[in-house]
Amino acid sequence: MPDVTQAEIGRRLYHVHREKTVEGSMKLMQQGIGAEWKSFSEADIELLLHLLQCTWNTIDQKVWDKIPFSKITADEIRQILSHGEGVQPGINPEPAAVAEIRKILLKKA
């Protein structure tokens, strides 16, 4: 078994926690908008996951947990997605885009 540092274990746990938290938030969004969720493509949903993970990094966990994701509208999801220009795995959104997504989320909290 390869040697893994405590720092690497910590990073992996952080990423797993972030991914699970964001997936839970997206599930609440999906429940909140109901059938309208189907209007988003698989690529949109993958982009949304990536954008939310990058934004999660900037919001305190206690604050994130208070955001009512089930009340986020399809239009607000489209606004979030509009900040994903050029974003893909390995290419994160610009800090200004993350700040705008953060504003969209925090106005609900």
Side-chain angles (χ1 to χ4, degrees):
M1 188 156 136
D3 289 335
V4 180
T5 66
Q6 286 297 101
E8 180 61 26
I9 291 170
R11 271 191 294 280
R12 290 179 187 178
L13 287 172
Y14 175 85
H15 286 121
V16 167
H17 177 68
R18 178 183 68 183
E19 190 171 323
K20 293 222 177 271
T21 301
V22 170
E23 286 174 355
S25 300
M26 287 181 60
K27 194 165 283 202
L28 290 171
M29 291 171 141
Q30 180 181 6
Q31 292 169 356
I33 65 170
E36 204 169 352
W37 183 260
K38 292 180 180 176
S39 69
F40 296 103
S41 69
E42 189 173 320
D44 288 338
I45 292 168
E46 287 176 19
L47 177 59
L48 181 63
L49 176 67
H50 189 93
L51 293 169
L52 290 177
Q53 285 179 350
C54 291
T55 307
W56 182 88
N57 291 332
T58 70
I59 298 176
D60 183 85
Q61 184 68 51
K62 290 177 185 171
V63 174
W64 183 274
D65 291 343
K66 291 180 182 173
I67 297 170
F69 287 97
S70 63
K71 301 216 184 293
I72 291 178
T73 66
D75 285 338
E76 288 168 324
I77 292 172
R78 287 184 194 92
Q79 288 174 7
I80 291 169
L81 290 171
S82 75
H83 295 288
E85 184 71 33
V87 174
Q88 58 187 347
I91 301 176
N92 290 333
E94 294 294 323
V98 172
E100 289 301 315
I101 295 168
R102 182 185 162 120
K103 284 182 195 173
I104 293 166
L105 297 177
L106 293 180
K107 76 178 179 184
K108 292 294 208 178

